[in-house]
Amino acid sequence: MSTELPPVAPEVLAEAVESLTARLRKKLDDATAGCAAAATAEADGSVTFRFGEDAVVTLRPGPAGTVTEAGQATCTCLLAPRCLHRAAALGAAPLADTAPPEPEPAGAAGTEQTTAVEPAESAASAEPAEPAESAASAEPVESAESVPALTAAQVGAATALWHAAAEALAAGVTAGGAVVQAELLRAAHTARLAGLPRAEAAALRVVRGLRAARERRTAHRLGDLTGSFRELLYTAGVLASGTADPALTGTSRRAYTQGGSLQVQGLCREPVLSATGYGGVVTHLLAPDGSRYSISDVRPGGLARARGAGRASVALGGATLDHAGLARGGLRIVGATVSPEGRLGAGRGVKATPLPGAAWSDGLAAPLFARPAAEAVAALLATPAEAAEAETALIGCDVTVVGAAGDHLLVREAVPHAPLLRLLPAHPHPELPHTENLRRIASYPGLRLRVLGRPDLDRAATLRPVAVGPVPGAQYTLRLPGEWLGRADLGYERLQGEHFPPPDAAAAAAGEAGPVPAADAPDPLADAPLWRVRRLLETGVAGGRRAVAEAARGTAAQAAYGPLRRAGLTAAADLATALAAEADRRPRDAFGRLADPSPDGYAWAWLAAATHLAAAERSLVAASWTATPDGATPAAP
């Protein structure tokens, strides 16, 4: 069994790689490959790596379990600390999160603590620390007065990060080894010191994606890495111009403000599982005025922590509740502190009193199910500037189960002429019950279901349910225990046969699913020829600039982009053609040397095509939620 390696701060790894000679850098990838399997955990908490008989590398993490200083990584060879062994051992360890603990504002009692320390990125995407870049965010701002000028240090850091990202994009996964990653980490560290935490977080996501791709991890997705490159290049490119919206600079710490007295009611809870080893739970709350709040408890621990945190105590103002009770109860809070994202903080000045809960149909949650899901999603898509809200908002709807189709469950909303919706697990991890619950629900066609979930704005008409409940007044619906107050948290509770209506009740509801077969669910995003542009972009991420140039030579470009023009997507075809031409543009002087070795032109062409593709796909997703008179999804715009 391999030893778990301590996380390493990005700047420590970048410094170690930078100190190597050119000859040693060429050997770094091969030296790093077998380090993790040869690691040995020592009794004092350190981890050692043996390279032959004379070289032993020791990593001594600090109290937080992370290697944050260069002196915590030592080697016994004569070249230390500028040796290949030390850099290889550091490169084999996972990257540490750089987000510091989120402090509360100091009150009368002094400095306060938050409910949880969260990682910089969450695989569950329940509450992403950094808002995802939306295609519409590339629009120019209307008023120059609202765009503050950046400092010279910030512009310099953003420019350096842009160049590092462009080099990494031109190299691709195949050539994006430890040296390329170290350049990105060095530029990311400089961005953090300059006060650009969002740019730093985007760079770290790219480095983690490159590592996952090169190590061929099962969780790696080329589409995710492509999106990470798009966000990094867009953020660094705009910041390097000298002016940017404050959202692009980001914040290292969430600013909690005094919220006064609040009364909130629990909606549901869901597990949070991070790719960086964090796990926990977030409980969603609702105030009488419709405001959304949340209380999270996320700490190192991974899957075990995510599964067990569902019944962990709520550390808020002395409230004697666990997250399971809060999800079906309520709180009256005095002296509340609230972050801009609606997170409730815990501190010595906060007092909380438990309140009795209520069912969705009787309590504050009833308005969530009062309007069609298409209207709720249209409201989210109409506010592109608030990308974080669009990615994390929960919507409710009453649906009728149609049946399973591939890896998703098809349902139809209980409103006239509604399109078919796809339900996908909120988190696909096999040890979490999301997938099992949806699979059991799919075996009951015609079942009426009340769903609270998060719309997936990257897929056509897709909802990721967090909790479900029975539809009030429906005969063929769920039959949950009374203590569940009419809802089941799909990430923590497993639906059993006793929670469903008896088989003899299915015949009466057999016609409720509608005449549309499950296999005929329209998907304008999949049917559009935009996949040709996506494949070109992903080819560039996987194989680098050379792969894009090779794919565009000969008659392949005309065959690939002809369908785009015939479908009316001429802008996408033009941008893809320009990208292929720029990738193949390698001018040389009379001596055969590259006359323009900079990858900036290629990176700008790639970013233009990627931004346009994101905008086009977002338009198709919006169209897929639109109801039509015949109940079918409208054609692609």
Side-chain angles (χ1 to χ4, degrees):
M1 184 176 64
S2 60
T3 301
E4 184 176 355
L5 304 181
V8 174
E11 61 270 18
V12 175
L13 173 58
E15 182 181 359
V17 176
E18 188 177 13
S19 65
L20 296 178
T21 63
R23 181 179 61 86
L24 292 179
R25 289 187 183 187
K26 296 179 181 179
K27 302 179 179 180
L28 183 56
D29 289 332
D30 293 336
T32 305
C35 280
T40 303
E42 305 296 338
D44 59 354
S46 62
V47 177
T48 59
F49 305 78
R50 181 170 293 278
F51 295 85
E53 298 181 356
D54 301 327
V56 177
V57 177
T58 304
L59 301 184
R60 294 184 176 86
T66 303
V67 177
T68 57
E69 299 178 2
Q72 294 174 339
T74 59
C75 181
T76 59
C77 76
L78 297 177
L79 293 179
R82 300 181 178 180
C83 62
L84 180 65
H85 315 117
R86 180 173 174 272
L90 290 172
L95 289 178
D97 290 306
T98 58
E102 301 168 1
E104 293 269 347
T111 304
E112 303 178 7
Q113 301 294 327
T114 56
T115 304
V117 177
E118 294 211 29
E121 58 177 315
S122 169
S125 69
E127 295 285 341
E130 298 294 338
E133 180 258 329
S134 64
S137 63
E139 298 177 358
V141 290
E142 297 179 358
S143 174
E145 296 178 356
S146 62
V147 182
L150 302 180
T151 65
Q154 289 176 321
V155 173
T159 302
L161 186 57
W162 163 267
H163 290 309
E167 293 284 357
L169 178 66
V173 172
T174 55
V179 176
V180 172
Q181 296 170 24
E183 293 295 332
L184 270 175
L185 294 178
R186 169 63 70 183
H189 180 59
T190 304
R192 180 173 63 153
L193 296 180
L196 302 175
R198 175 169 175 174
E200 181 212 14
L204 293 183
R205 281 193 289 272
V206 168
V207 173
R208 290 192 176 104
L210 288 173
R211 283 189 168 193
R214 291 178 63 83
E215 296 171 7
R216 299 183 179 181
R217 300 177 191 170
T218 55
H220 164 69
R221 289 184 56 205
L222 187 58
D224 293 339
L225 181 56
T226 303
S228 298
F229 262 111
R230 184 184 71 244
E231 180 179 357
L232 173 59
L233 289 170
Y234 170 76
T235 303
V238 175
L239 290 174
S241 67
T243 58
D245 188 89
L248 280 182
T249 59
T251 55
S252 295
R253 297 170 180 263
R254 291 188 178 93
Y256 282 76
T257 59
Q258 295 295 334
S261 298
L262 290 176
Q263 181 175 327
V264 293
Q265 187 178 81
L267 284 176
C268 61
R269 59 188 166 138
E270 62 173 321
V272 176
L273 187 58
S274 166
T276 54
Y278 285 75
V281 63
V282 57
T283 299
H284 300 279
L285 308 167
L286 188 66
D289 61 355
S291 301
R292 310 287 183 89
Y293 297 95
S294 64
I295 295 179
S296 56
D297 183 4
V298 182
R299 304 180 189 278
L303 177 63
R305 183 72 171 72
R307 297 175 63 180
R311 291 196 171 273
S313 298
V314 176
L316 183 67
T320 56
L321 274 179
D322 58 13
H323 282 271
L326 179 59
R328 293 184 173 88
L331 284 176
R332 180 179 288 111
I333 308 172
V334 178
T337 54
V338 187
S339 76
E341 298 84 3
R343 296 178 184 270
L344 296 178
R348 286 172 290 182
V350 180
K351 304 297 181 183
T353 304
L355 297 175
W360 281 347
S361 57
D362 302 329
L364 304 177
L368 293 177
F369 305 93
R371 64 174 177 172
E375 294 183 9
V377 174
L380 292 176
L381 294 174
T383 56
E386 300 175 5
E389 178 184 350
E391 294 292 338
T392 61
L394 295 176
I395 65 172
C397 58
D398 294 343
V399 301
T400 300
V401 175
V402 175
D407 60 344
H408 54 266
L409 170 64
L410 283 179
V411 299
R412 187 184 294 280
E413 194 176 1
V415 296
H417 314 304
L420 285 173
L421 305 181
R422 297 165 177 81
L423 300 187
L424 285 177
H427 200 295
H429 197 286
E431 296 297 326
L432 297 175
H434 292 285
T435 303
E436 178 184 343
N437 284 330
L438 289 184
R439 187 180 297 115
R440 185 175 289 271
I441 292 173
S443 62
Y444 289 84
L447 182 73
R448 298 292 304 280
L449 199 65
R450 175 158 282 187
V451 177
L452 184 67
R454 182 174 296 105
D456 188 340
L457 302 182
D458 294 329
R459 294 172 178 263
T462 299
L463 193 66
R464 295 187 180 271
V466 176
V468 297
V471 176
Q475 296 296 324
Y476 192 57
T477 187
L478 292 177
R479 301 184 179 184
L480 302 179
E483 60 271 19
W484 287 15
L485 289 182
R487 69 258 206 183
D489 297 328
L490 295 180
Y492 286 104
E493 285 143 351
R494 298 182 184 272
L495 296 175
Q496 306 295 334
E498 60 185 7
H499 300 145
F500 293 88
D504 55 1
E512 294 188 23
V516 180
D520 294 339
D523 188 347
L525 189 60
D527 297 338
L530 288 172
W531 62 267
R532 300 173 184 273
V533 182
R534 189 183 312 112
R535 183 172 65 180
L536 180 66
L537 295 172
E538 293 179 353
T539 298
V541 172
R545 179 173 183 168
R546 181 178 299 178
V548 175
E550 291 292 340
R553 288 174 182 160
T555 60
Q558 298 178 357
Y561 308 138
L564 288 170
R565 300 186 187 279
R566 290 191 293 272
L569 301 171
T570 56
D574 292 341
L575 290 172
T577 302
L579 171 60
E582 181 63 30
D584 202 25
R585 188 182 67 85
R586 307 288 281 180
R588 298 181 181 273
D589 59 16
F591 299 97
R593 298 170 300 189
L594 287 177
D596 184 16
S598 173
D600 288 355
Y602 170 74
W604 281 117
W606 188 95
L607 178 59
T611 303
H612 178 82
L613 175 65
E617 290 181 337
R618 192 177 182 89
S619 297
L620 291 174
V621 170
S624 69
W625 284 90
T626 304
T628 58
D630 59 355
T633 303

